[in-house]
Amino acid sequence: MTTRPVIFISAVSRELTTARQSVANCLTALGYTPDFQDIFPMASGPLLQMLRDKVDRASAVIQVVGESYGAEPEAPPPGFERCSYTQFEALYALQRGKKVYYLFTGPGFPADPHPPEPDDLRTLQSTYRTSIKATSHLRYPAATLPELENTVLRLRDDLAQLRIEAQRWAADTTRGIGTLDHKLDALLQALRSLPAATAQAASGKSGTTPAERIAAAYETLERDLKLPPGTLKSELPALAARLLQAPDTSALDRAYALFAEKKYAESETAALAAHAEALRRQPPDITTAIQALEAAGSAATAQIHYPAALAHYEKAADLTSQDRDPVEWARVRWRWALAVYYRGDTLRAVEILHTAILVEERLLGPEHPATLASRNILLGFVWDWRAEPELKMLGIHDDLREPGHLGTFVGSKGTSADARVAQHLRRESELEHPTDAQAAVQALTLKLGSEHPRTLASRNYLAERLRLQGKSEEADVENRAVLAIEARVLGAEHPETLASRNNLANALWVHGKYAEAEEEHRTVLAATERVLGPEHPETSRSHYNLALCLATQKKLEEAKREAGAAFAGRRKMLGEAHPHTVQAKKLVDQLEGIQPPLPGC
């Protein structure tokens, strides 16, 4: 089937609903898909973003310019002077390089019955009409409804070029696929939404491989865009490649395409170029600048460059405004909170996300999927932080739940694989006796593959079982095999790989292999400082575990130094009341009193 270009019809509804429908009927007869937006009472930010999205999806705009000014935002959109919503539709289209056709109604045009507007608004509309006539934009007079329809029909040849371009694009990007009319638009939406969807998948399924996060994002996007399962895996790479080859691809779409091709460093660079380009425009394109920074943040996160990701999201947050677009404001804060969390400041992440949720609940409702997703992530933050007095001060104590209520959000984080993985296996294994760890590994390997996170978790559990049976050598073999897979799939310095390596070091320490454990802990500490920074809670945990290992070997001065670093880091990032901070303080006190050290964490 041929692709039907979308033509957005702009008109003041109270005056020109009938005229707009006539234009839509003519466009449909010519083989185009008409689109328009009725202005209805709601916050100006969401409506402006809705109008931007519709204009962005359209190939061209036809504006029926009548005598009425229409509704207007509470404040002029950033980068624009005072204008009505209808005027904004055409002005924004011109800013985005879209072709705009102006159809002017004349005296006596059969407008729909409507109450007269105040004189000041009529003056603003008259000025707008005059300003258009003074430009070189395409404009056509229409004194009657039939004349309006004939004008649209006379645009057949000019509009035909849009169809040719759309058909050529569809043929090049979806050749041999047999797409439906909406397929190309859906694929483009999926491409542009992929970074955010991947971040969403990561927030709910920590520990998964990059490939699995992409797969989860594909599944979500296919459901949201009503695409058949498997569509994005088979078709999105071709679209990304085509975009990268096309000379007129925007800088931002180039960044999205590079992300889809998993070229994250190049995607980040392209996104930052798109951000700079958007701000150079006159007036600056704030919406594109924000989207570009979000894309850069996603690409940096995919590279485990958490400080860079945080910087990108902070810049994006600075550009947002609740008054301009509260939905955009809340969305950016959700992503900013996630970046803050990855940097280890859980309380700050809680504060940021909580304010965003309040806006989402007001605008979207408490049961909206976006609100529920944000609240689920907030629960993960809250449970990880576990300092209830401060959470009560934030007014979110009711969000606390039992840990079983949450999805796994932050992965193992170095905790014992025993109870947690045993629960995991009870859910995932098809075995009657989940304590049969070796059989569980075999079943999960057959079902999910040898590199699946759940299979790796089962192997860690197997290693724990072997150690409890006194088979330390066999346990080490399992742990090291898991580490080798994680290093290959995720990277040697990925936080999940380092968490597994920390577990191995703790196991070596428990079984008396102190020198080997110390070497592993020092390696983990150095890598964690590089990847996450010297003040991250995971770095403090490495200091803590190294202190235990050193104390066991009677290296007390070094142990005190490491324990002090763990306490200082946890106190700064988590606060005095956090259980991990209290734990580190106890270790410092015990080392000062030469008491037996606490177990590892």
Side-chain angles (χ1 to χ4, degrees), residues 305-328:
H305 293 168
Y306 296 145
L310 179 57
H312 298 327
Y313 290 130
E314 285 177 338
K315 284 184 179 180
D318 287 342
L319 291 175
T320 62
S321 166
Q322 274 201 66
D323 295 332
R324 185 181 75 88
D325 190 335
V327 173
E328 176 186 73

Side-chain angles (χ1 to χ4, degrees), residues 241-277:
R242 178 58 185 163
L243 280 169
L244 293 174
Q245 293 171 4
D248 57 346
T249 299
S250 70
L252 184 52
D253 277 344
R254 187 171 298 278
Y256 291 138
L258 288 165
F259 189 96
E261 291 195 342
K262 303 182 180 65
K263 298 177 180 178
Y264 301 123
E266 295 177 56
S267 176
E268 184 180 6
T269 300
L272 293 177
H275 165 255
E277 176 186 299

Side-chain angles (χ1 to χ4, degrees), residues 520-587:
E520 285 293 324
H521 277 310
R522 289 190 184 279
T523 300
V524 171
L525 174 58
T528 302
E529 285 183 320
R530 281 195 302 273
V531 174
L532 301 176
E535 295 182 340
H536 195 281
E538 289 300 292
T539 304
S540 296
R541 183 168 65 88
S542 290
H543 281 297
Y544 180 89
N545 288 337
L546 178 56
L548 291 176
C549 191
L550 291 168
T552 307
Q553 299 175 78
K554 309 299 183 184
K555 299 178 181 179
L556 296 180
E557 291 305 315
E558 287 184 88
K560 291 177 184 178
R561 197 160 51 243
E562 295 297 330
F567 172 61
R570 289 178 175 181
R571 180 171 57 182
K572 180 175 182 179
M573 298 301 291
L574 304 176
E576 295 277 0
H578 193 283
H580 290 173
T581 307
V582 174
Q583 180 190 49
K585 182 63 168 62
K586 286 182 180 179
L587 178 58

Side-chain angles (χ1 to χ4, degrees), residues 18-20 22-23 26 108-110 142-151:
T18 301
R20 185 178 61 193
S22 295
V23 172
C26 291
F109 185 87
T144 64
L145 202 57
E147 188 173 338
L148 180 74
E149 295 171 346
N150 288 334
T151 299

Side-chain angles (χ1 to χ4, degrees), residues 295-309:
S298 295
T301 300
Q303 300 171 76
I304 325 174
H305 293 168
Y306 296 145

Side-chain angles (χ1 to χ4, degrees), residues 118 203 300-301 316 331 388 466 553 566:
S203 71
T301 300
R331 183 192 72 236
E388 295 190 26
L466 290 170
Q553 299 175 78

